[in-house]
Amino acid sequence: MRDNPGPHSPHLRVHQNRGHTVLEFHGEIDILAALDIIPVLDAATGHPGAQVVLDLRHIEFFDCSGLRLLHRARRRVLDQDGQVHLVCTHPLTLRILRVTELAALMPPLSSMDEALGRPEAASGHL
């Protein structure tokens, strides 16, 4: 497991695991954090056929800026014929995902093993 060179954000760690690019979000994901995250997220999600896991297990706060980041990552990956999975266990974040219906587009998984072991993406081209 090695970090990718390139843009850096204290709120987003990018690494490889079992052939997937894992975007591991950390801390408070708000509008200020989003400004730091966007260049890192874009560098990690703009590749044809990317296999991406969005890992929200390490966040402490998540607002609409975080939702926009997830939607941006999903769109960029799917536009390049990739696959994207979401890992989230935080009850309040799960509630936000359900209320905004983002959970319908990217069903949250409860573990990295589940995300990395799935043969096909649960999220389609909706």
Side-chain angles (χ1 to χ4, degrees), residues 8 14 21 48 52-53 58 62 67 72 75 113-114:
H8 170 74
V14 179
T21 300
V52 174
V53 176
H58 307 284
F62 194 80
L67 292 172
R72 180 185 188 109
R75 186 187 72 243
D113 283 336
E114 189 177 1

Side-chain angles (χ1 to χ4, degrees), residues 25-96:
F25 291 78
H26 287 269
E28 297 184 5
I29 309 303
D30 57 16
I31 194 164
L32 291 175
L35 293 173
D36 288 332
I37 290 171
I38 287 173
V40 180
L41 182 139
D42 285 355
T45 59
H47 308 288
Q51 305 293 310
V52 174
V53 176
L54 305 171
D55 182 1
L56 303 183
R57 294 175 302 151
H58 307 284
I59 61 168
E60 298 164 9
F61 175 81
F62 194 80
D63 70 7
C64 61
S65 299
L67 292 172
R68 282 193 295 274
L69 291 170
L70 297 181
H71 189 269
R72 180 185 188 109
R74 178 184 179 275
R75 186 187 72 243
R76 289 176 56 81
V77 171
L78 295 180
D79 284 351
Q80 294 286 329
D81 296 320
Q83 296 179 356
V84 62
H85 302 289
L86 175 65
V87 177
C88 181
T89 57
H90 192 278
L92 291 176
T93 305
L94 288 168
R95 183 172 181 214
I96 291 169

